[in-house]
Amino acid sequence: MVRFLVALSLVAPFAAIPSVEAKEVRVYSGRHYNTDRKAYKQFSKETGIKVRLIEATGISLVERLKREGKYSNADVILLVDAARINNAAEAGLLQPVPSKELQTNVPSRYRDPLNRWFGFTRRVRAIIVNPKIVDPNTIKTYSDLANPVLKGKVCLRKRKNVYNQSLVADQIILKGETAASAWVKGMVRNVSQPYFGGDVSLIRAVGQGKCGVGLVNHYYLARMQAGSSGKDDQNVTSNIKLVMPNPAHVNISAAGVANSAKNKAEAIKFIEFISSPKGSRLIADPTFEYPLNNLGTSKELKAFGTFTPDNISISALGATQKDAIKVMANAGWR
Ligand SMILES: [Fe+2]
């Protein structure tokens, strides 16, 4: 007992000395690419700020944050897709960030007008074609997928997936709901295969000739063609042609400072890093996404060529998601 007291009295004076706490930032990520960690390591190396990563898929991450409320440990929230990030903002999970650097790093169409979220990588909803079944030269843009000559040759992912919801939202804003509905109905009439659960299985079906043409995010095809998921996928995708729709629907991965952030300054620094030309490239290159300001470096992306984004802002997409789901359901998109 005596010894215990002595020990305590020895420790106490040291504990009273103010210590420099290691800086850190807690990142809740709806992205699930191991390669992101490399970029975070580089951030830590340059700033001395430690990154603690918590991963969960898009929807469950938002649900978790809503549940945790102000007790959440989140400093930064990372999500993919316009609708998800908009929903997180509308649910009050993000706070506005005044940062000149973020305004410079992120083109205005890829960030929230209220500064609650900022894009850091880009993805194109692209058209893929099996040239043995459909002549790629006959496909220029999304509306061509409604052409009756493609009856039985179009493959689509299930309605519940946000990527297609955002594409339909994009077309509603561009063309109006009547024209967009006619396009979706025409496309749905051309579908024969069951609706797919993911972009990867859809790409395989196109490669195997079960479908002639499909809609996917560009990076899934690039990854498979690069051999990231093995030789079989590389072989089955080798003759698939990607058609860059002109203009292209571009979506993003985006980041925001959590409303609950206890390390706000570090959180802002982190987002400034991943949206910088260097940080955006470090994240986008290994996943075959496009960085914010260029077309990437891999030979697979080079082969896809350049693209012209349509002039729809990401925040407009999120606001039209509900209308998009309605249009898809009415057309019989399963
Ligand atoms: Fe994805």
Side-chain angles (χ1 to χ4, degrees):
M1 189 62 191
V2 171
R3 239 194 220 167
F4 178 63
L5 281 175
V6 169
L8 256 188
S9 64
L10 273 176
V11 168
F14 287 109
I17 296 170
S19 67
V20 184
E21 270 184 52
K23 287 183 178 178
E24 66 168 24
V25 60
R26 290 169 196 248
V27 176
Y28 278 38
S29 177
R31 289 170 55 87
H32 35 79
Y33 311 111
N34 276 330
T35 48
D36 284 1
R37 290 165 200 266
K38 262 194 182 164
Y40 304 162
K41 268 201 186 122
Q42 184 60 31
F43 167 76
S44 298
K45 205 172 133 192
E46 290 183 17
T47 60
I49 299 168
K50 204 167 138 191
V51 177
R52 283 182 191 268
L53 180 64
I54 292 134
E55 288 183 87
T57 57
I59 298 164
S60 66
L61 184 65
V62 170
E63 288 311 314
R64 177 176 174 172
L65 285 158
K66 279 187 192 165
R67 224 176 26 239
E68 291 175 354
K70 65 178 175 176
Y71 302 106
S72 174
N73 280 323
D75 294 316
V76 171
I77 301 170
L78 303 185
L79 288 166
V80 298
D81 194 87
R84 284 205 192 109
I85 196 85
N86 255 303
N87 291 342
E90 293 312 307
L93 300 175
L94 304 171
Q95 57 176 296
V97 170
S99 158
K100 275 232 168 66
E101 201 174 322
L102 287 174
Q103 308 279 326
T104 312
N105 285 351
V106 187
S108 61
R109 72 160 61 137
Y110 300 134
R111 58 179 147 85
D112 178 28
L114 302 176
N115 294 318
R116 295 165 299 180
W117 51 262
F118 303 85
F120 60 94
T121 64
R122 302 183 295 164
R123 53 267 305 280
V124 173
R125 198 75 184 148
I127 301 169
I128 55 166
V129 180
N130 184 325
K132 285 185 192 145
I133 297 169
V134 171
D135 177 2
N137 295 314
T138 62
I139 313 281
K140 301 268 181 265
T141 191
Y142 306 108
S143 54
D144 294 327
L145 269 59
N147 189 331
V149 299
L150 294 178
K151 181 116 190 131
K153 293 176 180 165
V154 174
C155 281
L156 294 175
R157 188 169 172 173
K158 287 177 180 155
R159 181 178 83 215
K160 67 169 197 225
N161 173 252
V162 284
Y163 297 155
N164 284 327
Q165 292 170 3
S166 287
L167 171 64
V168 173
D170 177 85
Q171 298 294 298
I172 289 173
I173 303 165
L174 271 176
K175 300 174 171 171
E177 192 165 321
T178 309
S181 289
W183 163 65
V184 170
K185 279 182 186 152
M187 200 161 57
V188 164
R189 268 197 294 272
N190 286 338
V191 170
S192 67
Q193 292 286 321
Y195 286 78
F196 287 79
D199 283 15
V200 169
S201 52
L202 196 158
I203 292 170
R204 286 188 191 122
V206 171
Q208 291 157 355
K210 291 177 188 161
C211 319
V213 53
L215 281 170
V216 295
N217 280 359
H218 80 277
Y219 54 85
Y220 289 109
L221 178 65
R223 243 181 256 166
M224 291 164 88
Q225 289 183 330
S228 305
S229 54
K231 265 269 168 255
D232 287 352
D233 276 347
Q234 195 169 26
N235 289 337
V236 86
T237 54
S238 61
N239 72 335
I240 292 179
K241 178 102 176 62
L242 183 135
V243 175
M244 261 319 166
N246 190 11
H249 160 54
V250 178
N251 214 318
I252 56 167
S253 285
V257 176
N259 221 353
S260 58
K262 289 163 194 82
N263 303 297
K264 190 175 168 183
E266 289 78 10
I268 295 171
K269 270 216 176 87
F270 179 84
I271 300 174
E272 286 170 347
F273 178 80
I274 59 171
S275 64
S276 70
K278 179 184 179 180
S280 177
R281 186 171 48 78
L282 277 174
I283 299 218
D285 276 356
T287 58
F288 295 89
E289 292 167 279
Y290 291 111
L292 279 182
N293 291 310
N294 63 64
L295 299 175
T297 51
S298 70
K299 71 173 197 302
E300 287 76 19
L301 292 189
K302 288 227 169 87
F304 292 170
T306 178
F307 62 89
T308 310
D310 61 35
N311 57 12
I312 305 302
S313 73
I314 297 294
S315 59
L317 290 176
T320 312
Q321 186 198 24
K322 281 205 178 85
D323 294 337
I325 295 170
K326 203 178 68 199
V327 163
M328 293 163 91
N330 286 342
W333 191 319
R334 305 251 176 91

